[in-house]
Amino acid sequence: MNNLFKNTFIYGFAKLGTGVLGILMLPIYTRYFSPAEFGLWDVAATTGALITPFITFELVAAVYRWLLEENCESKRAEIITTGILAIIRNTIMFNVLAIVFFSFYSFPYAWPALGFINILIVNSFMQQCARGLRYNKLFAMMGIIQMGITLLCMLFFMFVLQLRVEAFFYAAMISGFVGSLVFWKQMKMERYVSLSVYSKGLLKHFLAYSMPIIPGAASWWILTMSDRYFISAFLGMEMNGLYAVANKIPAMLLLINSVFSLAWKDSAIVTFHTTNKDDYYSDVFKHFFRLIITSVICLTLVAKPLLAIAVSSSYFDAWKYIGFLMLGTVFHAFSLFWAAGFHGAKQTNQIFWSTVVGALVNVVINLLLISLLGLYAIAISTFGAFLLTWLLRIKGANKLFHVELPQKDMAILFPLVGISIALPFILSKLWLAISIFFSILLFIGFNWQLIKNVYKQIKHIMKKTST
């Protein structure tokens, strides 16, 4: 548990730092870019996230998984060399096909998008190598540095060069390129790359692990990102921009979850073969559940006054959808918690099947309801799909591990989530402020032990730094 908390703190430093920087830029983005422009970039970034698993065959995930349990330097070199050469081969083939395709068919921002995808692949590989080699502090620090570079480039491109949507592509590429170079130098990656240690046998093991993740990753993309395409097709690009802003508040919850998930995946894999893993997983989930649900209550209540300050008036109506989107985010987080256990068992098929079913439910609900309910249909489909995905993973995990659900906490906190979604629609500003105050007290009460641990960790780090 101490190692989990330490890694969570390290990752949290980076993720929360990048999250705060991103939120601070939101007022600037929503005043500079129209909803249609903001929506276009959102779709482009979403498309990049869809394509990369098919290019890399998810070998990035396999390299991280094998590195995490390997301490021998020669074996690490074999893992990294085998992974990097296979990914380079795949990336070259993709670029050749893309160049030929773009020579015959014209798409807006096609060439910047191609550059963005290439940098995304390289940077993702370097990040996962850093985690697998346990350069956790470097991984955390680079998250903040890359976000800082991105924001500085965005300001330059927006206010000096007067660029529009292409500013997002160029800033992301520069940040990813610089970050990859720093990762390479700091980890001395050249010592791990040698043609003589390339292993076809190891690559077969990688592919056996990663291939089931590819359709799973595509299905996960449908669950998390395909909503943008439904909105663009049925409601228009401007509504997609509104949805992108509405997702910024749930993204803060996902930020909290991603902080935990990075550390939790490491711990779930390392501790999977221990005798007390079920008790450990259950204890961790109890604290995780309290953190996520109380955060949802606070963020749902604060969303409306926050957007009134942070975004332009053309984006303000986004607050109406945030509470419902939060429900999907909760079960998104729970699904990822169980996924870490499946990675520990190297049973990625369970992740694949549960995700495929959830993705199908997401698509069906969107098609049936989006014309009737608009953006509310998107929130309902996401919630229903992730809830089903989580339930399927609970069932599929029974033979591998068992997590005891905190039923008393659920009985108290789940109804409060429903109340927090309704209150912004019916309360005045004063009573909403009072509700926010009590939600903060609720958060502190349920997470007091976690808060004390954070305080002790900060105190320990400050003491260590002073000496």
Side-chain angles (χ1 to χ4, degrees):
M1 183 71 78
N2 288 336
N3 191 53
L4 172 62
F5 182 79
K6 179 182 176 183
N7 286 339
T8 302
F9 187 83
I10 292 172
Y11 292 138
F13 175 75
K15 288 290 183 179
L16 293 177
T18 56
V20 169
L21 289 174
I23 292 296
L24 291 176
M25 286 294 289
L26 189 59
I28 298 175
Y29 288 160
T30 57
R31 285 166 174 80
Y32 185 86
F33 296 104
S34 69
E37 288 175 322
F38 202 72
L40 178 59
W41 162 246
D42 194 53
V43 170
T46 297
T47 305
L50 168 65
I51 292 173
T52 51
F54 291 95
I55 300 170
T56 65
F57 289 172
E58 282 288 23
L59 290 170
V60 172
V63 169
Y64 156 74
R65 177 65 182 84
W66 262 255
L67 283 176
L68 199 60
E69 292 184 333
E70 187 58 69
N71 294 316
C72 175
E73 289 294 283
S74 61
K75 289 291 185 181
R76 286 177 168 180
E78 182 183 358
I79 292 167
I80 291 174
T81 296
T82 301
I84 200 170
L85 290 179
I87 291 172
I88 288 173
R89 176 201 62 198
N90 292 5
T91 306
I92 290 174
M93 292 174 61
F94 165 74
N95 277 277
V96 170
L97 291 174
I99 291 170
V100 171
F101 186 77
F102 291 152
S103 298
F104 291 95
Y105 299 96
S106 178
F107 289 93
Y109 308 106
W111 300 109
L114 181 61
F116 168 70
I117 291 170
N118 278 277
I119 293 296
L120 190 64
I121 292 170
V122 173
N123 196 239
S124 176
F125 180 81
M126 298 305 297
Q127 288 176 338
Q128 296 311 308
C129 283
R131 290 182 63 203
L133 294 170
R134 293 184 174 85
Y135 283 89
N136 292 338
K137 291 182 180 178
L138 175 64
F139 174 84
M141 187 59 67
M142 285 309 300
I144 294 178
I145 291 173
Q146 285 189 226
M147 175 58 79
I149 294 172
T150 299
L151 297 185
L152 288 174
C153 289
M154 283 297 297
L155 292 173
F156 177 76
F157 292 142
M158 288 162 60
F159 298 113
V160 177
L161 300 185
Q162 299 290 307
L163 298 180
R164 305 302 301 181
V165 177
E166 59 267 30
F168 284 110
F169 289 105
Y170 298 151
M173 284 190 282
I174 293 171
S175 172
F177 179 75
V178 172
S180 298
L181 287 179
V182 174
F183 273 122
W184 184 279
K185 182 175 177 60
Q186 291 298 313
M187 293 189 294
K188 299 180 174 62
M189 288 291 287
E190 62 276 1
R191 60 186 166 151
Y192 295 118
V193 180
S194 173
L195 293 176
S196 62
V197 298
Y198 174 80
S199 171
K200 290 184 178 179
L202 181 59
L203 181 59
K204 290 181 180 178
H205 288 298
F206 281 177
L207 291 172
Y209 172 83
S210 66
M211 289 301 283
I213 304 177
I214 299 173
S219 299
W220 193 255
W221 171 87
I222 294 173
L223 269 171
T224 56
M225 300 181 182
S226 66
D227 296 336
R228 279 79 167 173
Y229 290 94
F230 283 104
I231 296 169
S232 300
F234 287 90
L235 305 176
M237 195 62 74
E238 288 195 5
M239 290 300 288
N240 197 57
L242 196 69
Y243 178 75
V245 171
N247 256 321
K248 292 299 180 182
I249 304 299
M252 293 171 69
L253 181 65
L254 282 178
L255 182 64
I256 296 172
N257 178 57
S258 65
V259 168
F260 171 82
S261 291
L262 288 169
W264 169 238
K265 190 174 181 180
D266 294 351
S267 294
I269 290 172
V270 172
T271 62
F272 183 81
H273 298 290
T274 60
T275 56
N276 66 334
K277 70 174 184 297
D278 288 351
D279 292 336
Y280 176 67
Y281 282 21
S282 298
D283 186 49
V284 172
F285 182 71
K286 179 181 71 174
H287 293 289
F288 177 63
F289 176 83
R290 291 177 176 178
L291 176 64
I292 288 295
I293 297 298
T294 53
S295 297
V296 165
I297 294 169
C298 291
L299 290 173
T300 301
L301 291 171
V302 81
K304 185 177 180 180
L306 179 62
L307 288 190
I309 299 171
V311 303
S312 69
S313 58
S314 58
Y315 289 89
F316 178 65
D317 280 348
W319 75 266
K320 297 177 182 178
Y321 310 101
I322 289 171
F324 298 97
L325 289 170
M326 282 288 191
L327 290 174
T329 306
V330 166
F331 295 105
H332 180 175
F334 294 168
S335 298
L336 289 176
F337 186 96
W338 262 255
F342 291 127
H343 279 288
K346 292 186 178 179
Q347 296 293 323
T348 50
N349 281 325
Q350 295 286 349
I351 299 174
F352 163 61
W353 287 112
S354 60
T355 307
V356 167
V357 173
L360 290 174
V361 169
N362 180 274
V363 170
V364 170
I365 295 176
N366 276 332
L367 289 174
L368 291 175
L369 297 181
I370 193 168
S371 297
L372 296 173
L373 302 179
L375 288 183
Y376 287 112
I378 301 297
I380 293 170
S381 67
T382 303
F383 161 65
F386 276 121
L387 174 59
L388 180 58
T389 301
W390 178 51
L391 294 175
L392 290 173
R393 290 184 180 181
I394 291 176
K395 183 178 180 180
N398 286 335
K399 295 180 181 180
L400 303 170
F401 59 91
H402 175 72
V403 179
E404 192 71 31
L405 300 179
Q407 295 181 12
K408 290 183 180 179
D409 290 341
M410 287 181 168
I412 296 170
L413 294 176
F414 274 142
L416 291 178
V417 171
I419 293 171
S420 69
I421 292 173
L423 289 180
F425 287 90
I426 60 178
L427 292 184
S428 64
K429 291 181 180 180
L430 174 61
W431 283 105
L432 187 58
I434 293 172
S435 300
I436 292 170
F437 172 75
F438 280 107
S439 73
I440 294 171
L441 294 181
L442 182 77
F443 178 90
I444 294 172
F446 271 89
N447 298 286
W448 182 244
Q449 187 61 46
L450 181 63
I451 293 169
K452 287 196 298 183
N453 288 337
V454 170
Y455 173 75
K456 288 179 182 178
Q457 187 71 16
I458 294 174
K459 190 175 180 181
H460 175 72
I461 292 173
M462 292 178 65
K463 185 178 180 180
K464 196 173 181 179
T465 305
S466 62
T467 56

